[in-house]
Amino acid sequence: MFAFIIRRIIQSIIVMLVISLIGFSIQHSIGDPVRDLVGERVTPAEREEIRDQLGLNDPFYIQYFRFLKSACKGDLGLSFFYKKPALEVIISKAPATLELVLVTSFILIIVSIPTGIYCAIFPKRLFSRFAMAFSTIGVAIPVFLTAIALIYLFAVELNWLPSYGRGETINIGGWWESGLLTWDGIMHLILPSVSLASIMLPLFIRLIRAEMMEVLETEYIQFAWAKGLRRQRVWFIHAFKNTLLPVITVYGVQLGIMFAFTILTETVFQWQGMGFMFLEAVERSDTSLLVAYLVVVGVIFVAVNTVVDIIYGTVNPMVRIAGTK
Amino acid sequence: MKKYLFVFLALVMVFGLCGMAQAKTLKLALDAGPVSQDPQVQLSGGMLQFSHWAFDPLVRYAQDMSFEPRLAVKWERLDPLTMRFHLRKGVKFHSGNPFTAKDVKFTFDRFYKSKDFKGLFTPFESCTVVDDYTVDIKTKKPYALLINMATYIFPLDSKFYTGTDETGQPKDAVVKVGPSFALKNESGTGPFKVTSWEQGAKYVLERFPDYWDKKSPGNVDKIILTPIKENATRVAALLSGDVDFITPVPPHDFQRIRKDPKTKMVTFSGGRIITVQLNQKRRPEFKDVNVRQAIVHAINNKGIVKKIMKGTATAAGQQGPKGYKGYNQALTPRYDLKKAKALMKKAGLEKGFECTMIAPNNRYVNDEKIAEAVVGMLAKINIKVNLNTMPKAQYWDEFDKQVADIQLIGWHSDTEDSGNFSEFLTMTPNKETGYGQFNSGNYSNPKIDELTIAAQSETDLKKRNAMLQEIEQILYDDAAFVPFHWQNHSYAGKNNVGIKHIVNTMNFPYLGDLVIK
């Protein structure tokens, strides 16, 4: 177990190095951050001076080594726009995205699992057919459009829910701005998380349904029926646990994709999270913030996949045994 | 006794409610929030808008472009180089310090520490304190636009910005890349003080109780500014009632807002000209005035204004809009496809040719669509245009490198004066003086250079206006560039928000004077 974790840590370091290298190399084609910082009247000579000040005129390897040196101390660079350490900016925006992803995952779980299981057990019922058809709509319509449609329906026409922002947030422990503790905050969380969930739901419903149907055909399930076990026991204890394995793996991968889609959702809802921050950094050519963001997201990916692998090992002991010598 | 108590409590409640009813809060949504609280770090529309809320200028433009005295009540020219300003008495800063002449000098001198502003103030020599309420501002040569530039002088509280902050940096340091005291703290004389500042998320400004302008009709006590970047979301926020006032408004939403009984639209003509420049160095065909004229005649300005801008622009035939001193009534947009074809024939290029074009896609209103319209219109005279659009972050580097034959650029004059357009867009490019910095067409006409420079120091307004109009005429006849239109500013709000009276050509809504019914 210990060796496993060490291997994963080394893996995440390699990921960070590769990502930062890639991020640095494309820095120049993203645009000139100085352009966004100064007015139109500033002469090219003065712009060069600012670039010197920021260290942007040094050759590539010098800039990269400077970045690596400070990264070892935990400093991922200074954001040109926020004029604060990039890591600080990312951490301050992280809670917003994390809460969004959390609530979306929650919606995913409580909707896709019962629906998937139901559709697997009673494939011919009306609700099952309806769920299958409806779920394709979610994946067919871009999340951007879904989000705007939801805003126009629930905020403008019906006036049930707020149209943008996080609403009231409560500060926990000095840095985590949480929207989950106030009713206002929760109301603001509903539309964004439903939009985000709409892309993932079809995948999970179908996946759970397909896996479940396959598991229900297996021999040990037939044996359980033959043994005369109660229906609930067969479905939920034996069949469902075995469908979970591929679902967990897919969830780990999809979590990463969810982070990517938060960029679109956060932009529509003016949600001050990491995705929105990333988009603004691209527009402003805030290259140091961009590189820091890419590195942080890379680390998150590795961490999430590690946790997924550990859970996988817990749920299915065979994997653990097969993996060790 | 109980009866008196009851009456007393009822009266308190009534007065309390009256008091509450008077407290008007404005929920404002712009596309971006102010970059910082230091008005001298960045020269941009957003920062100037903010400056009018937290600070006051010496003078400001009224809706008809005349000068309104603010912190300067009177001014007189002492000699060709000196202008004396008499300052308003009894004005307080947000910190409580009194406003005097030395604050004006402090602010003036600080301009030269700012990379963005020092270029604007190069014609100036000095600002001298004559007495507590009088300053003399001197220029190096006779300068016609002295009062125009006075609209940029927003006096800072010199006492407040004196000393060093917790990190040991001087409080008045003008810092572009890095933290500073002035970026996060303000003390101006403006109608609102900053009470809360979450960069990019939420800004709260509250009315300054000791504000000097008692004649102002404004009744807004609190402004809650939340930037909403996405156009559709901003409009939805207004329509759902979550905000009271939004700007800018995307043209395709005008109808929707007008139809809604709870909201209204206000547009105001602006001074930003949208143009394309034809690069004579890259494409020899553009050296021929007939070809340039053909292109000008092939562009349907009014059509673009109607179909693409949905009426929220004014078709242009010259650089400066109506109201600017160089505006020449005779220079109207010329769309004539027949004539365009005839001109191409005259140039011997009936068969046409191929060329490249670049345009930004997120800088000006509908910039990408305008560029695509150009492609379609030039195809009619057999000019095949290969268009490449890109975000503004990448565009300006490509623009400077002159990677394409036709390049789109919009321009607004800092000085609200016609001369500024030529200085940057049509004067012969000169790296040392900085003139023609954005003249990517490489148009060069010594007469234009001569007239523009002469107009800078001509203080006889009649002579000056004639010069500026002559410049526009020459550029028109020469088809030096292709003008499209001047963008209008668009605002939308709930019916009880008195937008119409506080907006102007520069897009600086004077929220201090805003009345909410």
Side-chain angles (χ1 to χ4, degrees), chain B residues 66-85:
Chain B
S66 62
F67 292 112
E68 235 176 68
R70 301 300 289 170
L71 290 183
V73 291
K74 203 163 57 129
W75 49 91
E76 61 212 354
R77 190 172 274 288
L78 296 183
D79 62 56
L81 298 177
T82 321
M83 188 77 86
R84 172 161 291 186
F85 288 88

Side-chain angles (χ1 to χ4, degrees), chain B residues 176-191:
Chain B
K176 213 177 235 303
V177 281
S180 85
F181 177 78
L183 291 171
K184 302 213 159 39
N185 299 278
E186 61 84 15
S187 174
T189 63

Side-chain angles (χ1 to χ4, degrees), chain B residues 474-493:
Chain B
I474 297 176
L475 294 173
Y476 189 82
D477 295 333
D478 238 2
F481 65 102
V482 183
F484 289 108
H485 51 251
W486 295 290
Q487 277 180 193
N488 284 358
H489 306 302
S490 53
Y491 310 90

Side-chain angles (χ1 to χ4, degrees), chain A residues 1 4 10 40-41 44 81 92 125 148-149 155 163 177 206 225 243 275-277 287 301 307 316 319:
Chain A
M1 192 54 162
F4 173 72
I10 296 178
E40 279 165 338
R41 271 187 191 255
F81 176 72
S92 69
R125 294 244 179 114
I148 299 209
S163 55
E177 291 282 343
R206 284 165 178 272
W225 287 128
T243 65
F276 188 59
M277 176 204 78
T287 40
F301 261 97
V307 169
N316 185 359
V319 173

